[in-house]
Every structure is written in C-alpha cells, then in structure tokens.
C-alpha cells in the first residue's frame, strides 16, 4: 500500500505545500505573499489535492515544518496540520525547518560531501537561527540563535568549507573573511524538502502527539502591551 504524505511549510513568508507518494514528489504549490498563510493555506492544500487527483482520505500522514522561523507562520502551519491529523485520524510528522533547508540545498550541490551546510533564518537585527549539517543530514551543530559578527563560526570555518544560505545569510556575508565560506542567494524553505524527510520519518514511525504538539520556536516570543492613555 502506498504512502501519501501532505507536507506544509509556513515558517517563512513563503507558504508552501507538497504531496509525496512513497517519497516521490507528486506536486507542490507555493504562494510568495506576505501574511497570506492564514487565508490561503487551506486553499493551496485543496488545489494541490485536486490537481493530483487525490483526496484527504488518501493521506497516510501530514508533515509540518517544525521551526524555527516565523512565530505566526509556525502557529498557522502547526494548527492546520494538527486539525487535519485529528480529523483524519492519521499521524503527525514534524520536520526541522533548518534540516529541511539544508537537505534541499545538499541534494543539488556538486561534491556535497566536501561541505558543511549552514542554513540561516533571519531573526531580526544581527541575529539568525542557524545550525550545521553534513551532506547526509547529520547534525554537527544543533539549532540555536546566533549573534552575527566576524567571529561567528570562526572555528568551523578554520577547518571546514561551509555553505551559507537562507534569508539570514546575506547579512552575514559582509562579516566573513574566509576562503572556506560560500554563499547561496534566494534559497527559501520548501515543503518539498519537508516531504522528503517526512517519508523517512514515516518509515521510522517517528510521529508527534497530535494533542500536545507545539512548534520548535527556539526562542520565547516577546510581546508588548500598549500603554493605556
């Protein structure tokens, strides 16, 4: 029996959905529109299912980008994934946003085994959410918030070739003076990479508790209360 997995990626301004059968991509759809996730995610999902002649009842699992990333985006994706899994009584799979981003770059990189992959997601000012991975997804440095300066990841750059990408990498580039640093532009999180890793997780039966799942925000969200007049 085939395994049909719907994947959701809402951690960035790009709202992305993908459908994989047994790890093979059937279709994907994305919308690059700021603050569109809450109003367009359900429509993207239904259009994708229609375009691939699939139904909700065909799904074996739903995968969601776990974070870090946009607090609001992660909340929307997590709530949608939980709702679908609860209604359909199917497993929920959560995939690290940074690991998925590294996977999608490594898959298209020549001699990827010679590099370490460093996704960077913008966390405002001179801070990013980042991690380090090998070409086959092994975690070298766990996801963490990094303050960017000329010494950031200096030890790793002294001994390895690192490839930086993601919407936070551009502000790091001017600070780096190392022949071991490479940068890729215009790399955004994609539900396709989430789905690729989700099939592996499905085979391992690596599922999350639908009732208690919360995205991996990495940092607490700070809110302010308007001053009373």
């Amino acid at each position: 029996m085939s395994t049909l997995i719907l994947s959701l990626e809402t951690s960035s301004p790009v709202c992305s959905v993908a459908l994989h059968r047994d790890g093979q991509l059937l279709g994907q759809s994305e919308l690059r529109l700021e603050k569109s996730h809450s109003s367009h995610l359900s429509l993207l999902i239904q259009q994708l299912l229609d375009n691939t002649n699939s139904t909700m009842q065909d799904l074996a699992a739903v995968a969601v980008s776990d974070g870090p990333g946009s607090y609001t985006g992660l909340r929307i994706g997590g709530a949608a994934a939980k709702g679908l899994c609860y209604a359909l009584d199917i497993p929920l799979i959560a995939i690290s946003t940074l690991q998925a981003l590294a996977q999608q770059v490594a898959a298209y990189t020549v001699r990827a085994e010679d590099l370490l992959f460093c996704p960077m997601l913008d966390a405002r000012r001179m801070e990013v959410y980042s991690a380090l991975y090998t070409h086959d997804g092994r975690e070298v440095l766990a996801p963490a918030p990094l303050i960017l300066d000329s010494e950031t990841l200096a030890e790793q750059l002294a001994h390895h070739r690192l490839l930086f990408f993601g919407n936070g990498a551009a502000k790091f580039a001017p600070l780096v003076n190392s022949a071991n640093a490479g940068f890729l532009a215009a790399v955004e999180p994609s539900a396709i990479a989430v789905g690729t890793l989700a099939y592996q997780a499905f085979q391992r039966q690596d599922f999350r508790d639908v009732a208690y799942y919360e995205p991996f925000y990495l940092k607490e969200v700070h809110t302010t209360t308007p001053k009373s007049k």
Side-chain angles (χ1 to χ4, degrees):
M1 184 175 179
S2 65
T3 300
L4 192 68
I5 298 178
L6 173 69
S7 299
L8 315 178
E9 167 52 74
T10 59
S11 68
S12 77
V14 179
C15 185
S16 173
V17 298
L19 198 63
H20 289 76
R21 175 174 283 120
D22 297 334
Q24 299 300 311
L25 179 67
L26 292 184
Q28 65 100 18
S29 182
E30 48 183 53
L31 186 62
R32 296 171 179 265
L33 188 64
E34 287 281 352
K35 300 181 179 178
S36 64
H37 299 21
S38 59
S39 57
H40 290 84
L41 180 57
S42 295
L43 180 60
L44 285 179
I45 293 170
Q46 191 57 57
Q47 287 179 338
L48 178 60
L49 290 170
D50 292 344
N51 291 340
T52 55
N53 296 315
S54 305
T55 70
M56 293 288 189
Q57 287 66 36
D58 296 329
L59 297 177
V62 176
V64 66
S65 181
D66 187 42
S70 160
Y71 175 81
T72 302
L74 291 173
R75 292 284 290 182
I76 292 168
K82 289 172 67 171
L84 288 170
C85 290
Y86 182 80
L88 299 169
D89 192 25
I90 56 177
L92 171 65
I93 299 170
I95 299 296
S96 164
T97 303
L98 294 171
Q99 186 178 18
L101 197 57
Q103 191 277 334
Q104 75 186 56
V105 171
Y108 295 99
T109 300
V110 177
R111 298 188 64 177
E113 64 275 10
D114 296 337
L115 300 170
L116 292 180
F117 294 83
C118 187
M120 287 186 164
L121 297 178
D122 192 6
R124 306 278 177 91
R125 299 185 178 87
M126 292 307 292
E127 188 172 18
V128 296
Y129 301 126
S130 189
L132 271 182
Y133 300 94
T134 61
H135 72 286
D136 55 359
R138 181 173 61 83
E139 186 180 278
V140 177
L141 281 180
L146 296 180
I147 302 295
L148 299 178
D149 58 34
S150 60
E151 296 302 314
T152 301
L153 298 175
E155 181 179 349
Q156 288 76 17
L157 282 166
H159 299 96
H160 302 280
R161 293 173 58 203
L162 270 62
L163 187 59
F164 299 94
F165 45 89
N167 62 13
K171 61 186 180 183
F172 185 46
L175 304 176
V176 181
N177 183 23
S178 172
N180 280 336
F183 289 84
L184 287 180
V187 177
E188 296 283 356
S190 167
I192 296 176
V194 173
T196 299
L197 295 178
Y199 181 60
Q200 299 171 16
F202 186 90
Q203 293 177 304
R204 299 192 306 268
Q205 302 286 286
D206 184 7
F207 304 138
R208 297 295 185 90
D209 189 311
V210 174
Y212 296 103
Y213 170 72
E214 287 288 335
F216 178 54
Y217 298 117
L218 194 55
K219 291 202 317 182
E220 290 187 10
V221 177
H222 297 284
T223 59
T224 58
T225 303
K227 296 180 180 179
S228 58
K229 296 183 179 178

